[in-house]
Amino acid sequence: MYNKFLAAAALFVLSISGVSPGYAASGEASISELSAVINQETQMVTINGQISTGEGRLVTVTVTDPEGNMDWMNQTQSEASGSFRFQYKTLDTTKGTFVVKVGGDGVAVPAQSSFTMISDVDGNNGNGNNNGNGNNNGNSSGNGNNNGNGNGNGNNNSNSNSNSNSNTNTNTAPVAKANKLVVEATTDANGKASVQLNADALVEAMKKAVDPTLTIEVKSAESAHAVTVSLPAQQLLAFNSRAVKQIEVKMGAATISVATELLISQIGASASHVDLSVSEVNPSEMTEEMKKTIGDNPVYDFNLYVDGEKIGIFSGERPIKVSLPYQLQPGQDAEKVIIYYMDDSGTLQAIKNSKYYPTNGTVDFYPKHFSKYAAALGTATFQDLSDVAWAKSGIEGLAVREVVNGVGEGRFSPNGQVTRAQFIQMLTGALDVEDDKAVAIFTDVSAGAWYYKAIATAQSLGIVNGREDGSFGIDAPISRQEMAAMMHRAVKARSIVLPSKEAVAAFKDQEAIASYAADAVTRMQQTGMINGFNDGTFAPEAYATRAQAAVMVYRLFKQI
């Protein structure tokens, strides 16, 4: 049975300059009687005017502040006799002249007006003045003569129709809170939920934001099984330098956070909208083999488009985060709850960076591309972990994420040694980093070998240095101090913030630690990534076991 979804949509197409889509550049339309007035006390701006081609024409407005930054943009349809009216509350308190430009269907040259911010918004000053004058192709001219009165309300003498109503992309009234927009969703007969958010509400929310994350929270769509969220491309571009760095859309069944940097990098000068879609895959589309792994857990299909063109691989440092709900059942190990990716052939792959958070009841992950994903309990058990119970959770946690493997016949060999190549494969897997373009230059590292990408990636990140003879020592057992040094370099290379423990006593054999690893061992000990033995020693030159390596790496994974 399909899960219930919530949805949000905000759609805006900018056509202020040149000709609107679907209209020829004939210059047949013009804007007249344009006026712009600001109430200095409330900061409410009113823009009136008329389009010569009459009722039902698309009219677009943009407002830029005295520094040339976008303050507001919106669209509406003209009313009787071509009149139109916009109102919005500006949050930009920059003193000076704000420029208003209005275009529309068939308007070749936009009309221009202005208003002046003169107060400090303390409620003691009156209205600014309108210097507006619309003139297009010599066919009609508009004049708005609004004179500001020092401590009172300005008088607008323009001839625009003040009874016209704005029809700007409004389906439900959004409720604006600090860094949040709350909207109600509706569902059509086909089970697709959507809501159109006023463009000015989105702009206002982005301007008000003091936190890097702007949240769009969508209320109840009771029977929907698909969601499409459309964001206005040009407004995202306009707010490129503003405080909002991430847009989080809460849709009930899924929460998706997208870095605005990713969106902006994909938006061209003519792009109109960015579409984020989520739908639940019909269980009938899943094979029996898939159901053995996924069970009854829903599979979600995610997509991201710019003007209908799908965005493939996501560039940057974890630009998208997805949270899916999961109800942990009695007896289930929370460390084994992960996300699976289903490719086009129906093959399932574990998402290495996925983690379950019991307090939230969600599995969070950072996809490198959008496709079909599901939260489920991974299966990985080994028969020979009874003597290393302290390591069982870490070993199996890495195993379900396909970071470590057993040695066959259901065994892990926890007390076996780890080679340097094996440890780097384990470490880069937990970090979920793989650079296909990286090149390894060590003399004993062969291109195409199972370890090549891991070592090449680690070398490009500065995690490994190799040995004096130019080799890496792929088959050499790794020592405990070597592991600590590589982990410490990985933390710095990936800018991982680790918790600091209370003051800890230095290891009794601290002086035996090699100089290249001394600082790394101390730092990794202070952050709880490594521990010593019961006698207070670290045994820096002792070879690490598979269990020790897995636990150390899993501790680091939990902090990423």
Side-chain angles (χ1 to χ4, degrees), residues 486-532:
M486 292 179 187
M487 286 178 60
H488 187 235
R489 294 187 198 119
V491 168
K492 292 193 294 184
R494 304 301 293 169
S495 300
I496 301 171
V497 179
L498 298 178
S500 294
K501 296 175 63 177
E502 296 181 0
V504 292
F507 292 119
K508 292 181 178 179
D509 53 353
Q510 188 77 25
E511 293 183 358
I513 300 173
S515 58
Y516 77 86
D519 182 62
V521 171
T522 298
R523 180 58 180 156
M524 292 296 96
Q525 180 196 19
Q526 291 173 341
T527 56
M529 297 299 103
I530 62 173
N531 295 319

Side-chain angles (χ1 to χ4, degrees), residues 205-544:
M206 294 182 77
K207 290 185 65 177
K208 289 171 59 177
V210 293
D211 185 85
T213 300
L214 173 64
T215 299
I216 300 174
E217 182 178 348
V218 189
K219 296 295 184 180
S220 59
E222 294 302 327
S223 59
H225 64 265
V227 170
T228 297
V229 176
S230 187
L231 299 173
Q234 297 305 316
Q235 284 162 308
L236 290 171
L237 281 177
F239 280 84
N240 186 14
S241 61
R242 304 278 178 158
V244 176
K245 302 301 180 184
Q246 181 173 266
I247 296 177
E248 176 186 71
V249 184
K250 291 187 175 182
M251 298 177 285
T255 297
I256 305 172
S257 300
V258 185
T260 54
E261 183 179 6
L262 170 67
L263 299 178
I264 290 168
S265 69
Q266 301 292 327
I267 295 172
S270 61
S272 63
H273 57 280
V274 177
D275 295 330
L276 177 65
S277 68
V278 186
S279 60
E280 189 174 345
V281 177
N282 194 316
S284 64
E285 299 179 24
M286 299 172 58
T287 65
E288 291 302 317
E289 194 65 28
M290 290 171 55
K291 292 178 181 178
K292 289 180 181 179
T293 301
I294 302 299
D296 295 329
N297 298 299
V299 178
Y300 299 103
D301 190 4
F302 297 84
N303 287 285
L304 183 62
Y305 302 90
V306 174
D307 285 356
E309 184 174 346
K310 187 172 182 177
I311 297 177
I313 302 299
F314 303 146
S315 59
E317 183 65 25
R318 293 186 166 188
I320 292 185
K321 174 184 174 182
V322 178
S323 298
L324 292 179
Y326 185 86
Q327 183 64 49
L328 193 68
Q329 300 300 315
Q332 291 185 341
D333 185 353
E335 305 295 334
K336 295 183 180 180
V337 179
I338 62 171
I339 295 291
Y340 285 98
Y341 153 60
M342 181 173 66
D343 65 20
D344 293 337
S345 66
T347 302
L348 294 176
Q349 300 177 23
I351 300 299
K352 293 179 173 62
N353 61 51
S354 57
K355 299 177 190 175
Y356 177 68
Y357 293 88
T359 55
N360 301 330
T362 63
V363 191
D364 297 355
F365 67 106
Y366 300 87
K368 297 179 180 179
H369 56 81
F370 268 159
S371 186
K372 298 172 182 177
Y373 297 91
L377 184 71
T379 55
T381 57
F382 299 102
Q383 303 169 4
D384 56 349
L385 301 183
S386 57
D387 291 338
V388 289
W390 53 271
K392 184 175 185 296
S393 180
I395 292 171
E396 294 181 347
L398 292 179
V400 296
R401 292 171 174 82
E402 300 173 2
V403 174
V404 299
N405 299 310
V407 295
E409 299 180 349
R411 297 182 304 108
F412 183 73
S413 185
N415 295 315
Q417 291 182 348
V418 183
T419 67
R420 285 167 56 87
Q422 289 170 343
F423 181 73
I424 283 300
Q425 179 84 355
M426 191 184 304
L427 181 59
T428 56
L431 293 173
D432 196 25
V433 292
E434 185 176 278
D435 185 353
D436 291 331
K437 297 180 180 179
V439 177
I441 61 173
F442 301 117
T443 57
D444 58 343
V445 175
S446 302
W450 61 268
Y451 52 73
Y452 184 83
K453 283 187 178 181
I455 294 177
T457 298
Q459 185 176 13
S460 69
L461 293 173
I463 296 174
V464 296
N465 298 321
R467 295 182 167 178
E468 291 182 358
D469 63 0
S471 69
F472 179 72
I474 55 174
D475 294 323
I478 193 167
S479 68
R480 288 168 55 82
Q481 64 183 358
E482 286 176 329
M483 284 199 310
M486 292 179 187
M487 286 178 60
H488 187 235
R489 294 187 198 119
V491 168
K492 292 193 294 184
R494 304 301 293 169
S495 300
I496 301 171
V497 179
L498 298 178
S500 294
K501 296 175 63 177
E502 296 181 0
V504 292
F507 292 119
K508 292 181 178 179
D509 53 353
Q510 188 77 25
E511 293 183 358
I513 300 173
S515 58
Y516 77 86
D519 182 62
V521 171
T522 298
R523 180 58 180 156
M524 292 296 96
Q525 180 196 19
Q526 291 173 341
T527 56
M529 297 299 103
I530 62 173
N531 295 319
F533 295 96
N534 292 335
D535 62 359
T537 62
F538 177 67
E541 296 183 355
Y543 294 136

Side-chain angles (χ1 to χ4, degrees), residues 92-147:
D92 193 331
T93 59
T94 306
K95 293 182 180 180
T97 300
F98 286 64
V99 176
V100 178
K101 291 184 179 181
V102 177
D105 290 342
V107 176
V109 180
Q112 183 168 311
S113 180
S114 63
F115 60 87
T116 303
M117 177 78 72
I118 62 175
S119 75
D120 292 319
V121 197
D122 58 5
N124 295 322
N125 296 313
N127 285 346
N129 52 37
N130 169 44
N131 302 313
N133 193 312
N135 194 323
N136 284 279
N137 300 325
N139 295 323
S140 66
S141 62
N143 54 71
N145 301 312
N146 176 61
N147 299 314

